[in-house]
Amino acid sequence: MSMPNSRERVVAILVLLVSLLTQAGTPTASAGQPADALWFDGPAAAVLTVEGGRFTDGLGREVVLRGYNVSGETKLAENDGLPFASAADARTSAAALRSLGGGNTVRFLLSWASAEPVRGQVDRAYLAAATEQIRAFLDAGVRVFPDFHQDLYSRYLFHEGSWYTGDGAPGWAVEAGGYPRESCGVCLFWGQNIQQNTAVTRATYDFWHNAHGVQDAFLATAQTTMAYLAEHLTPAQFAGVAGFDPYNEPYAGTYDSGQNNRSWERDVLWPFYEKFRARMDAAGWRAKPAFVEPGLFWNANLSFQRQEGGFLDAGTLGPRYVFNTHFYDQKAISGIFMWGKAGDGQYTGDFGTVRDRAAATGTAAVVSEFGHPLSGSTSDKAPTVDKAMYQALDSRVPGARWWSDPTGSGPVLSSTQWQWDIYSGRHHELMNGNPDKVRTEGDAWNDEDFSGVRLDDSGRAVLRQDARLLDRLYPSATAGRTVAFTYEDRSRDGSTTLTWNPVPAGLPHVARLVGSGQYGLLLWRSDGGSAPTELHLPASFATAATTVVSDLGTVHGPPPYTRDTPIAVTPEPGGTGSRRLLLTAPGADAPHFALVTNGATAPDPQLLDAARTELTAWAAAHR
């Protein structure tokens, strides 16, 4: 085993120092932080590892990653393969993602074509610009995991008159293969190119078999990129880099004789991930996990598309890998296989499968892409589809059964929604370089339109989806183990408020307290540490209007944090104006509960006490 490099040693020392402060319970600012910074906001809190099948930070707390993909702009040529036209735009996006979208994590897309435009020559100007844009998110208190993105292998497979386009590999990699002129035939959706476009399938097959040395070149560029980031970010910033996604939506292209997706994952895909893992180690990323994706169609919800897989033969992945998958409701997107809207519990089975596969491989899970089109013939389904996906990320139990079976929830899944593109509807992309095909609408890529954000005419970031859906209450850091969590966001489908998890009639005082407001409920077992449990507070939960009913106490309008305040509100790191609820619970392996709602206006103490009595009895029955 090689020795840690200097960058890793510095990060380790910082983590150790903060850990010592934590154990002493001293509310002292960490080195390099403002004097008023809270002691648990140091680099140790940003460090992400995998332990016991869940994400943990350097303070031992269970972590949930929630955020977005930044950004589909990387797929386009107009900004040279960067998510943003400038670092200033990156900062605008990061601040809005934190304050409007409630995110604490981004999957940050990178372009191999832009990083290595000439074979063997990495463009360090591109790496410098990408690093500066990544830094904007890290400084806003947002974790980052980069992704060398690809779709349909490469834009250079497609000619000027093509109906579709791709992204990923550089032009020289395509030229080396001498592929036939691309054609998908009668393809109504761009994704059909994955299996039907001969140029795409052959180029993809060649990559996995390292024809012309293209895979070796990709791995070398990835290592150079990771080493550059480790060298040019400060230790505190680098602590916020969660890991790396080696390859987006892997697919064989074509199988060898007798091969299927399961054997391809085992014999081709997993050896590639092991090579990538070795490159991470060599680049100074030894302590960070690889966010590895199984074969693209292993968890598809169309039976004719689904393929056996999900790393069935990989054994225990352990802390060096994260089970990383995507989920789109292809039935809903097609407009053919699903009539009507999504409903309560629509995706608990699909996301339960993700939980089960991650548990079987002994690691944490992240759903790094999900969402639904916001324009087009099926866009009317988006409010319910996206709500149902978030519901399934929070718990594997439908709302109708949650109160009677909360401990069946499973872990709260980490996720990054597709996507967060501040340029939505304002692009100027020459599709495949064709000046007669200037794309401005939506994502400007294969007629997609997924972004939850845009810039208005004044240049201000505004949401394109219901804020109650996107800016959510969730347990971002739990001091112990989450037992169950649910959140009723009361998001809307047009003028209809969607309530899929009403408080049951058997808890009348809780129901009265919540009223028609939003609410979340967390059950957890404390770890005996001094660091608090943290829940992100949406902007809709104004501090003065937030009510907490917990075994730790009851409070309306939680006060600022002090060492002796068990229930408090404080800003989230990064200075973006977002806030978090802090719950400091005593005792190791002790059960706790906390109901958080914005439904009450000046509730009287008797109502708070009665609600606490009801919840105490309910929680005791569901430990």
Side-chain angles (χ1 to χ4, degrees), residues 235-249:
Q237 290 168 340
F238 191 55
V241 177
F244 208 107
D245 184 342
Y247 199 90
N248 178 69
E249 297 181 351

Side-chain angles (χ1 to χ4, degrees), residues 32-400:
Q33 288 191 285
D36 60 349
L38 298 174
W39 62 269
F40 47 82
D41 283 343
V47 169
L48 190 75
T49 56
V50 177
E51 182 180 348
R54 305 194 184 193
F55 289 118
T56 57
D57 64 16
L59 303 176
R61 298 179 297 179
E62 182 180 292
V63 168
V64 172
L65 308 178
R66 284 289 171 91
Y68 304 85
N69 283 260
V70 178
S71 148
E73 181 75 7
T74 302
K75 298 184 180 186
L76 308 180
E78 61 181 357
N79 281 334
D80 298 321
L82 290 165
F84 302 100
S86 65
D89 282 0
R91 289 190 290 271
T92 295
S93 180
L97 184 141
R98 200 77 156 124
S99 61
L100 296 178
N104 65 8
T105 304
V106 295
R107 180 174 181 245
F108 191 98
L109 275 60
L110 298 171
S111 167
W112 177 22
S114 297
E116 191 186 7
V118 178
R119 183 164 193 160
Q121 298 180 24
V122 176
D123 187 342
R124 292 186 175 270
Y126 174 80
L127 298 187
T131 301
E132 188 176 17
Q133 294 183 10
I134 287 173
R135 187 179 294 117
F137 288 87
L138 296 170
D139 289 347
V142 177
R143 286 187 177 92
V144 174
F145 64 99
D147 155 48
F148 263 121
H149 207 77
Q150 73 80 37
D151 294 282
L152 309 183
Y153 189 68
S154 174
R155 67 183 295 112
Y156 296 101
L157 287 172
F158 295 82
H159 52 85
E160 280 193 350
S162 293
W163 287 10
Y164 302 103
T165 190
D167 68 286
W172 59 260
V174 171
E175 292 172 5
Y179 303 110
R181 184 179 177 89
E182 62 82 21
S183 175
C184 193
V186 181
C187 288
L188 301 179
F189 305 100
W190 73 262
Q192 293 177 260
N193 285 270
I194 296 169
Q195 296 173 301
Q196 294 177 221
N197 190 322
T198 303
V200 173
T201 59
R202 289 188 184 178
T204 302
Y205 178 92
D206 280 357
F207 175 84
W208 295 118
H209 291 78
N210 199 27
H212 320 292
V214 292
Q215 188 182 118
D216 288 342
F218 171 79
L219 290 169
T221 297
Q223 180 177 336
T224 300
T225 300
M226 289 185 284
Y228 188 97
L229 287 167
E231 179 66 26
H232 290 83
L233 295 171
T234 68
Q237 290 168 340
F238 191 55
V241 177
F244 208 107
D245 184 342
Y247 199 90
N248 178 69
E249 297 181 351
Y251 181 65
T254 56
Y255 294 119
D256 290 321
S257 178
Q259 193 177 57
N260 58 22
N261 187 66
R262 177 173 179 170
S263 59
W264 177 78
E265 282 187 1
R266 181 192 65 216
D267 299 335
V268 178
L269 181 60
W270 191 253
F272 166 77
Y273 286 147
E274 291 180 317
K275 293 175 186 176
F276 197 96
R277 176 70 263 181
R279 299 284 184 155
M280 292 178 69
D281 294 351
W285 291 52
R286 184 177 294 105
K288 300 181 185 295
F291 286 58
V292 293
E293 302 183 32
L296 172 60
F297 298 115
W298 82 276
N299 195 29
N301 72 333
L302 288 173
S303 58
F304 61 82
Q305 199 177 55
R306 189 179 303 116
Q307 299 175 352
E308 187 179 34
F311 302 138
L312 292 172
D313 302 299
T316 300
L317 303 187
R320 287 167 58 79
Y321 298 94
V322 168
F323 188 86
N324 171 19
T325 188
H326 299 172
F327 183 81
Y328 292 96
D329 184 349
Q330 299 296 341
K331 293 179 181 178
I333 291 174
S334 72
I336 300 172
F337 299 102
M338 172 183 157
W339 297 99
K341 308 293 183 72
D344 176 28
Q346 186 90 15
Y347 304 115
T348 53
D350 298 297
F351 285 68
T353 300
V354 174
R355 288 178 172 91
D356 292 342
R357 285 307 308 145
T361 56
T363 190
V366 62
V367 182
S368 62
E369 284 191 29
F370 68 98
H372 190 85
L374 300 183
S375 63
S377 61
T378 68
S379 60
D380 65 308
K381 302 179 190 294
T384 58
V385 166
D386 287 345
K387 177 183 173 74
M389 289 185 181
Y390 273 114
Q391 179 195 49
L393 289 166
D394 289 343
S395 170
R396 68 189 301 161
V397 180

Side-chain angles (χ1 to χ4, degrees), residues 68 99-102 452 463-473 487 489 491-492 518 538-540:
Y68 304 85
S99 61
L100 296 178
L463 294 179
R464 299 180 64 225
Q465 293 183 267
D466 187 352
R468 290 182 284 191
L469 171 72
L470 298 186
D471 188 12
R472 307 179 64 78
L473 188 82
Y487 180 52
D489 56 40
S491 58
R492 294 157 293 191
Q518 299 166 292
S540 58

